[in-house]
Amino acid sequence: MVSIRDVAKRANVAISTVSKVLNHYPNVSEETRRKVNTAIAELGFVPNSIASALSSKKTGRVALVLDVNRHVQTVDEIPMQYIIGAINKAKELGMDIITVFFTMIQEMGVEEMIRYFQSQSIEGLIICGLSKQDTMLHRLVKSGKFKVVLIDAPGVAENTSSIHIDNTKAQYEVAKRFITESNSKSILYIAGKKNGYVSEERMLGMKQLSEELGLTIFSRVGNFSELEARRITMKYAAKKDAIICASDLMAIGAMKALIDMDIYRPVCGFDGISLMGYAGKQMHTVKQDFQTIAASAVEELARLMEGGSGQEIILPHKLIRMKYLDVIS
Amino acid sequence: MVSIRDVAKRANVAISTVSKVLNHYPNVSEETRRKVNTAIAELGFVPNSIASALSSKKTGRVALVLDVNRHVQTVDEIPMQYIIGAINKAKELGMDIITVFFTMIQEMGVEEMIRYFQSQSIEGLIICGLSKQDTMLHRLVKSGKFKVVLIDAPGVAENTSSIHIDNTKAQYEVAKRFITESNSKSILYIAGKKNGYVSEERMLGMKQLSEELGLTIFSRVGNFSELEARRITMKYAAKKDAIICASDLMAIGAMKALIDMDIYRPVCGFDGISLMGYAGKQMHTVKQDFQTIAASAVEELARLMEGGSGQEIILPHKLIRMKYLDVIS
DNA sequence: CGTTTTCTGGAAAACGTTTTCTTAATCATA
DNA sequence: TATGATTAAGAAAACGTTTTCCAGAAAACG
């Protein structure tokens, strides 16, 4: 393997000079810079990131922690969108993304988690969909051992930022538009998780709307489960005008149930996953750009790692109607 | 950061002794081992993988190269399944998976690719869905600079193994069962890519079956595109009894088209992705276990990296009928 | 009892960078 | 012209491991 040493020899300069050229230090003369660069080209030198990381104590390694259910709901495309967004941005910034699943760390105590990430030389974490019940992960974040960006969970500190859309507003807006257009009077709302951060925010949006419109909204917790949404729909939909769900996946479960029950009710979703295009002619939903969200998370983490301090970032959403043909073309 | 040095001091042994304990070397007495281990525990020492990698020249880093655009549609769950399978196995074996997308390297020449992977200190590659046209990647594999496992592409060499199911047999079997059950006489076969490895194998399965059954099979290339399958279906399905597709995604495109045309034809797919459960009451398809495939690829790569030589691995498939309720529960 | 073998554990040289000092040389200033 | 300021480049000490080689002690052997 050709090293910085060989380059130095060939260019007739010191090792440190080569390093300075490599890292774009200012005080290197144009001539030396040229000499070094031609030597690099001639030798086909590639800097060794491992050695660089050891010496500089900066690995640029970031863990993307995902809540992936290995067996249930494999059609959920959101994690993949996060991965794509994060990896592309990381490449741009010269960072490395190590993907980690909740299942891999859920049995660990805080100490073990810290050891795990430290042994991987990880400097920062992007945690997606942290819920209130994840005590250990919360403590890990609070430990201050890592810089953290939370997607879809609150929490701002010296070492922690938070990124999400305005869930309350989005739920309010999409529901308002949906109710107005479908002219519905009685609504079944299939909420997310009890005690879930985004679930509560979305629920709040529904509350605000119900007060504004003077509607009472009948709601049940669907736990973001397609199957549970199906059950709830089977049980309650007949007596309601329309169904609003806190996620597209639940909306699809509801839609499928309605088809099986052979009754029609308009359904409104949340997220804008492409599977929603398969559910009905055109489905009202909130479109979140998960790739952009993840990319912003990586950028924000880079900022934290350079000494910036935590902040809350609210990204925009869109109200859309999803159609099959739009999705596949 | 507490280092091996601190451990050595605390345990009153030499640095090298601690290292030997860490790496389970044989010639360390039970007593010293204990001393070192308690020191490690007391200090909360975590070995630094970067330093270890630099010194031992083994990084354990593997790139998982994915064609996320193989199917343009974002509902394609296959890459995610590969990621899950690979990462879980990698954790088990103490390796690191770096996910890389075709899009990130498709413009590069061979030299640049080599530099890219080398600069990331990557020792091995798992390439999914390499096609014949990917000249640069083929050359990269042939360069011998990395150990490689190819998923769904042939190629065995000193540094290369290949993993896939028996596509010919699988296509033959599922089509035979489907044709027999549906008692179809005239078949529309929507094939994969022209010159695609698995596409050709599956096509061969269809040829064998058509000879055996004395059926002529009308086939068109769908390029694994849902939209293209839709077009082909719209154009030809009316005159045929049944449709067989070289992928589930195309089967879904066909199914959707049939619904829009308001005619019924049985459809048969290939892959066993869960989206297939959404397409019809129960869909014939070949189930590939992508997680297991990826896990085997990681294992195989580990074997190659330890000096084993390349081989071809054929994994089993299953014939199934996919149902919505099975998928979501 | 002397000699050879086996077993433990330590010393020290890598591994390929970054970074902090120094030093020498050039430049501007009065 | 002497003085200080600025600039460019080199020397060398880290960073935290692994690994090779060596020494001493204990065990085995004749």
Side-chain angles (χ1 to χ4, degrees):
Chain A
M1 169 168 279
V2 32
S3 80
I4 208 178
R5 193 165 241 102
D6 306 310
V7 175
K9 198 167 288 174
R10 175 138 194 155
N12 260 316
V13 296
I15 292 182
S16 49
T17 306
V18 179
S19 177
K20 282 169 192 164
V21 171
L22 249 31
N23 296 291
H24 306 104
Y25 274 49
N27 35 351
V28 176
S29 75
E30 205 40 60
E31 197 197 331
T32 336
R33 196 180 298 279
R34 254 193 331 90
K35 270 199 307 186
V36 170
N37 280 326
T38 56
I40 287 176
E42 285 167 359
L43 295 173
F45 166 74
V46 182
N48 180 323
S49 60
I50 297 286
S52 162
L54 178 62
S55 183
S56 69
K57 304 185 152 209
K58 301 213 167 300
T59 63
R61 299 189 105 196
V62 164
L64 177 67
V65 185
L66 295 173
D67 183 8
V68 173
N69 285 321
R70 216 185 308 184
H71 305 296
V72 194
Q73 297 167 348
T74 43
V75 285
D76 184 3
E77 77 192 48
I78 298 177
M80 190 66 204
Q81 297 291 333
Y82 281 145
I83 292 177
I84 295 174
I87 287 185
N88 284 321
K89 176 58 77 178
K91 193 199 172 202
E92 200 182 308
L93 302 181
M95 303 166 77
D96 283 338
I97 298 285
I98 305 297
T99 308
V100 173
F101 303 124
F102 274 21
T103 49
M104 293 161 63
I105 54 171
Q106 66 189 0
E107 312 275 81
M108 297 182 184
V110 191
E111 295 301 323
E112 198 181 350
M113 280 188 191
I114 293 176
R115 262 200 304 280
Y116 177 65
F117 289 119
Q118 279 182 348
S119 76
Q120 302 247 52
S121 306
I122 278 167
E123 300 178 309
L125 267 40
I126 296 174
I127 304 179
C128 306
L130 182 64
S131 85
K132 285 186 190 169
Q133 283 87 328
D134 298 321
T135 336
M136 291 306 161
L137 262 175
H138 270 287
R139 280 198 224 152
L140 178 73
V141 175
K142 292 233 175 74
S143 78
K145 295 270 183 183
F146 307 95
K147 303 293 182 179
V148 182
V149 173
L150 298 171
I151 292 181
D152 276 354
V156 170
E158 202 47 53
N159 69 324
T160 313
S161 286
S162 160
I163 295 195
H164 49 87
I165 63 166
D166 186 338
N167 283 285
T168 305
K169 190 166 162 230
Q171 182 67 85
Y172 168 91
E173 288 173 357
V174 75
K176 182 168 188 177
R177 182 157 151 184
F178 171 76
I179 290 175
T180 310
E181 272 191 25
S182 62
N183 195 25
S184 312
K185 299 298 170 202
S186 64
I187 305 292
L188 167 61
Y189 181 63
I190 305 185
K193 282 186 193 161
K194 199 157 177 63
N195 284 325
Y197 296 117
V198 300
S199 302
E200 285 182 351
E201 288 170 32
R202 292 176 195 173
M203 179 61 103
L204 184 59
M206 288 306 293
K207 287 235 177 75
Q208 290 175 357
L209 183 64
S210 83
E211 278 169 26
E212 182 184 319
L213 299 182
L215 293 175
T216 59
I217 287 170
F218 180 80
S219 71
R220 281 291 174 272
V221 169
N223 273 311
F224 290 122
S225 149
E226 194 171 348
L227 189 59
E228 191 54 30
R230 177 187 175 85
R231 288 205 197 99
I232 294 170
T233 304
M234 293 257 174
K235 197 157 171 189
Y236 302 108
K239 297 179 208 129
K240 304 288 170 187
D241 287 349
I243 306 172
I244 297 176
C245 299
S247 81
D248 282 352
L249 222 42
M250 293 197 295
I252 290 158
M255 200 72 191
K256 277 276 185 183
L258 290 168
I259 292 170
D260 289 356
M261 294 163 74
D262 204 25
I263 64 175
Y264 173 76
R265 296 290 183 279
V267 176
C268 174
F270 199 113
D271 279 341
I273 64 178
S274 57
L275 184 61
M276 192 64 168
Y278 291 75
K281 261 203 148 41
Q282 57 168 30
M283 305 288 289
H284 275 272
T285 192
V286 172
K287 173 86 182 159
Q288 297 199 59
D289 184 344
F290 297 106
Q291 286 195 29
T292 301
I293 292 173
S296 309
V298 172
E299 269 179 344
E300 176 62 14
L301 193 49
R303 207 184 55 80
L304 287 179
M305 282 168 26
E306 279 175 2
S309 72
Q311 59 174 333
E312 186 167 29
I313 298 177
I314 313 285
L315 284 143
H317 60 269
K318 276 195 236 167
L319 306 187
I320 63 167
R321 292 178 189 79
M322 275 204 124
K323 281 189 239 171
Y324 174 67
L325 284 181
D326 292 344
V327 169
I328 67 169
S329 20
Chain B
M1 168 168 281
V2 32
S3 80
I4 208 179
R5 193 164 240 102
D6 306 310
V7 176
K9 198 167 287 173
R10 175 136 193 160
N12 260 315
V13 295
I15 291 182
S16 49
T17 306
V18 179
S19 177
K20 283 169 192 168
V21 171
L22 249 32
N23 295 291
H24 306 104
Y25 272 50
N27 38 348
V28 177
S29 74
E30 204 40 59
E31 196 196 330
T32 342
R33 196 180 298 280
R34 254 194 331 91
K35 270 201 306 188
V36 170
N37 280 324
T38 57
I40 287 176
E42 285 168 359
L43 295 172
F45 165 74
V46 182
N48 181 325
S49 60
I50 297 285
S52 163
L54 178 62
S55 183
S56 69
K57 305 185 152 209
K58 300 213 166 301
T59 64
R61 297 190 106 197
V62 164
L64 178 67
V65 185
L66 294 174
D67 182 7
V68 286
N69 288 330
R70 179 172 40 159
H71 314 296
V72 182
Q73 294 77 1
T74 42
V75 285
D76 185 4
E77 76 191 50
I78 299 176
M80 191 66 204
Q81 297 291 333
Y82 281 145
I83 292 177
I84 295 175
I87 287 184
N88 283 319
K89 176 58 76 178
K91 193 199 172 201
E92 201 182 308
L93 302 181
M95 305 165 77
D96 283 338
I97 297 285
I98 306 298
T99 309
V100 172
F101 303 125
F102 274 20
T103 48
M104 292 161 64
I105 54 172
Q106 66 188 1
E107 311 275 82
M108 297 183 184
V110 191
E111 295 301 322
E112 198 180 349
M113 279 187 192
I114 293 176
R115 261 202 303 282
Y116 178 65
F117 288 119
Q118 279 182 349
S119 77
Q120 301 247 50
S121 306
I122 278 167
E123 300 178 309
L125 266 41
I126 296 173
I127 305 180
C128 307
L130 181 64
S131 85
K132 285 185 189 169
Q133 283 87 331
D134 298 322
T135 336
M136 293 305 162
L137 263 175
H138 271 286
R139 280 199 225 152
L140 178 72
V141 174
K142 292 232 176 75
S143 79
K145 294 271 184 183
F146 307 96
K147 303 291 182 179
V148 182
V149 174
L150 298 171
I151 292 181
D152 276 354
V156 170
E158 201 48 51
N159 69 324
T160 313
S161 287
S162 159
I163 296 194
H164 49 88
I165 63 167
D166 185 338
N167 283 285
T168 305
K169 190 167 161 225
Q171 183 68 84
Y172 169 90
E173 288 173 355
V174 76
K176 182 167 188 178
R177 182 157 150 183
F178 171 76
I179 291 175
T180 310
E181 271 190 25
S182 62
N183 195 26
S184 312
K185 299 299 169 202
S186 63
I187 305 292
L188 166 61
Y189 181 62
I190 305 184
K193 281 187 194 163
K194 199 157 178 60
N195 285 326
Y197 295 117
V198 299
S199 302
E200 286 183 350
E201 288 169 31
R202 291 176 195 173
M203 180 62 102
L204 184 59
M206 289 304 294
K207 286 233 177 78
Q208 290 175 357
L209 182 64
S210 82
E211 280 169 24
E212 181 185 319
L213 299 184
L215 292 175
T216 60
I217 287 172
F218 179 81
S219 70
R220 280 290 173 273
V221 169
N223 273 312
F224 289 123
S225 149
E226 192 170 350
L227 189 57
E228 191 54 30
R230 177 186 175 86
R231 289 205 196 100
I232 294 170
T233 304
M234 293 257 177
K235 197 156 171 191
Y236 302 107
K239 297 181 210 128
K240 304 288 168 187
D241 288 348
I243 306 171
I244 298 177
C245 299
S247 81
D248 282 351
L249 221 42
M250 294 197 294
I252 290 158
M255 200 73 191
K256 277 275 187 184
L258 291 168
I259 292 170
D260 290 356
M261 294 162 75
D262 204 24
I263 64 176
Y264 173 76
R265 295 290 181 280
V267 176
C268 175
F270 199 115
D271 280 342
I273 65 176
S274 58
L275 185 60
M276 192 64 168
Y278 291 74
K281 261 202 149 40
Q282 58 168 30
M283 305 287 288
H284 275 273
T285 192
V286 172
K287 173 86 183 159
Q288 296 200 58
D289 185 343
F290 297 105
Q291 285 194 27
T292 301
I293 292 173
S296 309
V298 172
E299 269 179 345
E300 176 62 13
L301 192 50
R303 207 182 56 80
L304 288 179
M305 283 169 23
E306 280 176 0
S309 71
Q311 59 174 333
E312 186 168 28
I313 299 177
I314 313 287
L315 264 46
H317 61 268
K318 276 194 237 169
L319 306 187
I320 62 164
R321 293 178 187 78
M322 275 203 124
K323 282 189 237 173
Y324 173 67
L325 284 180
D326 292 345
V327 169
I328 66 170
S329 23

